[in-house]
Amino acid sequence: MRKTRRPASSTLTTENIDTLGAPVEVRRHPGARRLTLRVSRTRRTVIVTLPMQCGIDEAGSFITRNIEWVRERLDSLPSPVPFRDGVFIPLRGEAHRVVFAGPGKRGVVSRRIADDFPELCVAGHEEHAPRRLKDWLAREAHRDLEDRVAFHAKRLNVSAKRIAVRDQTSRWGSCSTTGVLSFSWRLILAPPEILDYVAAHEVAHLKEMNHGPRFWALVAKTMPGLEDAKRWLQIYGMDLHRYGMLAED
């Protein structure tokens, strides 16, 4: 969950590749000895990595030769769930129906039980509702994370400098050398024990900036159920990235 530096990327467009319906990125990597191809589940992007001496045309030819493989991977991705009126999204692991309530109190998002089913009511004009809902979810995540970070920091006798909530796609959390803890807002969609585990994981990094035995001993000390949470993230975690994503993304 520590930050890694990505190689530079560029966008590749050819007539054949355009039919994929997904962005294509070309990354040149000084350590690459051959062309490689993968599909990012979180960003729904086709990524081809090539050695520095390869030309951009070689990347296009490589994707074209493997076009059916790429299509199969893209087709296997779960469908995006944009923030729209009537869709269901998880909140702390429980399914909620999104309701765009129309003009009312500006910027208000509220939770209510209607017909024995929880709803998230988003007030205001419909064109602003998706952003308003996402901002509200991020604030809820920040509030829950502040609570759990404080809990685990007290148990491990450490302190975090600051908590940041972002839309991270490559990791659920990270810890800087200055003590800043960053988290994905999408943790608020998962069951509470998942957010709790990620908070404990990053707090433990305040003492051990690695994933060695002493680090995992710290996580286990403050979060006894960490194995179940790790397994949940491995199986279901990537599915959380489809919420709030537009179909055309």
Side-chain angles (χ1 to χ4, degrees):
M1 294 190 179
R2 289 185 296 172
K3 186 175 181 180
T4 57
R5 191 171 183 177
R6 286 184 174 180
S9 64
S10 59
T11 301
L12 175 70
T13 303
T14 70
E15 183 177 352
N16 193 21
I17 294 171
D18 282 345
T19 63
L20 288 173
V24 176
E25 288 183 6
V26 177
R27 296 180 179 176
R28 297 183 183 275
H29 198 291
R33 296 187 176 183
R34 58 187 178 87
L35 285 84
T36 59
L37 188 62
R38 70 182 180 92
V39 174
S40 170
R41 292 185 60 194
T42 57
R43 298 171 54 225
R44 308 179 77 85
T45 300
V46 180
I47 301 171
V48 59
T49 302
L50 64 158
M52 299 299 292
Q53 67 271 20
C54 283
I56 194 75
D57 291 341
E58 292 183 66
S61 299
F62 183 61
I63 297 175
T64 299
R65 291 196 302 271
N66 295 278
I67 200 77
E68 292 307 318
W69 180 90
V70 174
R71 286 199 177 103
E72 288 176 4
R73 295 303 184 278
L74 289 171
D75 290 343
S76 70
L77 297 178
S79 300
V81 181
F83 289 154
R84 291 175 180 162
D85 185 49
V87 302
F88 284 84
I89 68 169
L91 173 63
R92 299 183 178 94
E94 184 181 6
H96 286 65
R97 181 189 293 111
V98 174
V99 177
F100 290 173
K105 293 183 178 179
R106 185 178 179 182
V108 172
V109 177
S110 59
R111 181 181 181 275
R112 71 182 184 188
I113 302 296
D115 299 327
D116 298 324
F117 213 96
E119 293 182 341
L120 294 176
C121 298
V122 187
H125 295 289
E126 185 169 340
E127 61 268 28
H128 304 304
R131 170 59 63 179
R132 187 169 295 127
L133 177 57
K134 182 178 179 180
D135 291 346
W136 181 84
L137 289 168
R139 289 193 298 271
E140 291 293 296
H142 196 284
R143 186 176 66 177
D144 285 11
L145 285 161
E146 276 193 329
D147 176 67
R148 300 318 297 165
V149 164
F151 174 84
H152 295 298
K154 184 176 181 180
R155 294 194 68 172
L156 298 181
N157 194 29
V158 294
S159 60
K161 181 178 180 181
R162 182 169 57 88
I163 295 174
V165 174
R166 302 180 177 128
D167 195 2
Q168 304 179 144
T169 59
S170 60
R171 56 196 180 275
W172 296 108
S174 61
C175 174
S176 75
T177 55
T178 59
V180 177
L181 304 185
S182 299
F183 300 93
S184 168
W185 69 263
R186 296 174 185 278
L187 288 168
I188 198 64
L189 306 176
E193 60 270 21
I194 308 305
L195 178 146
D196 196 17
Y197 159 68
V198 178
H201 185 117
E202 300 310 329
V203 167
H205 275 314
L206 293 170
K207 275 196 170 183
E208 292 287 337
M209 289 292 287
N210 56 68
H211 288 103
R214 288 192 297 183
F215 166 79
W216 288 113
L218 288 171
V219 182
K221 177 181 178 181
T222 191
M223 179 76 187
L226 69 96
E227 291 300 332
D228 289 340
K230 283 174 62 178
R231 192 174 303 110
W232 191 98
L233 277 175
Q234 290 168 356
I235 298 172
Y236 304 109
M238 290 301 100
D239 192 55
L240 301 180
H241 288 280
R242 67 192 183 113
Y243 294 101
M245 179 182 290
L246 297 177
E248 54 269 27
D249 287 344

